[in-house]
Amino acid sequence: MMRSGKTPRNKPTTRRRLLREGVFWIAGGIAAINGASVFHQFVTRPRKLVSEEEYTTFLDSLSLRYLSASEIIRPHRNVRNGVANELPPKHLWRNLTKTLRVADEIRSRSGWRIELINSAYRSPAYNAECRGAARRSYHLRNMALDVRFGAESMEVAELARTLREERFFKGGVGVYSSFIHLDTRGKNADWGLS
């Protein structure tokens, strides 16, 4: 006979089962862990990144109008196939400045909300886990953003190309169904949906 309000002993609650199996959902993916203390840490607060405060100070010093440091840092917490991304090494921090300014200018001119930065810097190990990622990706150099605006990707790409024609930047514009890729590689490149 089962007592009221109790879970039967042979059917553990979802949380208990997940803890026992060492699996939980994080940032749209599945990661394997051991122990409840780690589960609790990831569920209650985001993973602390090395040099996060210092990188936040650097990003704040750029005085971007529409992008916050927390939005830029968020994709560095992503985990794919058990491989965690990380913040860029300090010598690469300045590389992202021009690309951030491009995304900020798109937002300024269009009024489209920046819904999500999918990807910024990717560590080599993390990049290797990203399906379709180039082995020499500009994400590895901290020069690229994958960003979703509150508009169709093609519209955003058109505005990005207009900025290139105005010589606001030189770089790549990649169009995907739900986001665009922007980079400041120093030469123009286009790819994706047409």
Side-chain angles (χ1 to χ4, degrees), residues 40-144:
H40 180 72
Q41 173 186 348
F42 279 104
V43 170
T44 60
R45 64 182 174 276
R47 174 172 56 95
K48 186 75 171 156
L49 299 165
V50 175
S51 304
E52 186 171 345
E53 291 87 9
E54 197 176 356
Y55 195 48
T56 297
T57 301
F58 165 75
L59 293 170
D60 287 343
S61 77
L62 300 177
S63 300
L64 298 165
R65 296 165 290 178
Y66 299 103
L67 286 165
S68 70
S70 63
E71 288 175 300
I72 299 162
I73 290 171
R74 190 209 56 75
H76 298 92
R77 298 184 199 290
N78 291 349
V79 177
R80 284 185 182 269
N81 300 323
V83 177
N85 197 14
E86 56 193 48
L87 290 176
K90 193 170 185 173
H91 71 277
L92 296 178
W93 288 4
R94 291 218 168 273
N95 291 358
L96 193 59
T97 303
K98 289 179 185 176
T99 310
L100 290 170
R101 294 201 191 288
V102 172
D104 206 46
E105 185 67 14
I106 290 171
R107 167 62 176 91
S108 176
R109 290 192 187 191
S110 68
W112 299 320
R113 192 167 58 91
I114 296 170
E115 293 182 346
L116 180 70
I117 295 175
N118 296 335
S119 189
Y121 171 76
R122 294 181 194 152
S123 70
Y126 182 78
N127 190 66
E129 297 299 326
C130 295
R131 191 181 74 210
R135 286 184 358 184
R136 299 182 66 182
S137 170
Y138 285 91
H139 289 284
L140 295 166
R141 302 175 197 186
N142 200 34
M143 297 174 79

Side-chain angles (χ1 to χ4, degrees), residues 25-30 78-79:
W25 290 93
I26 181 169
I30 299 176
N78 291 349
V79 177

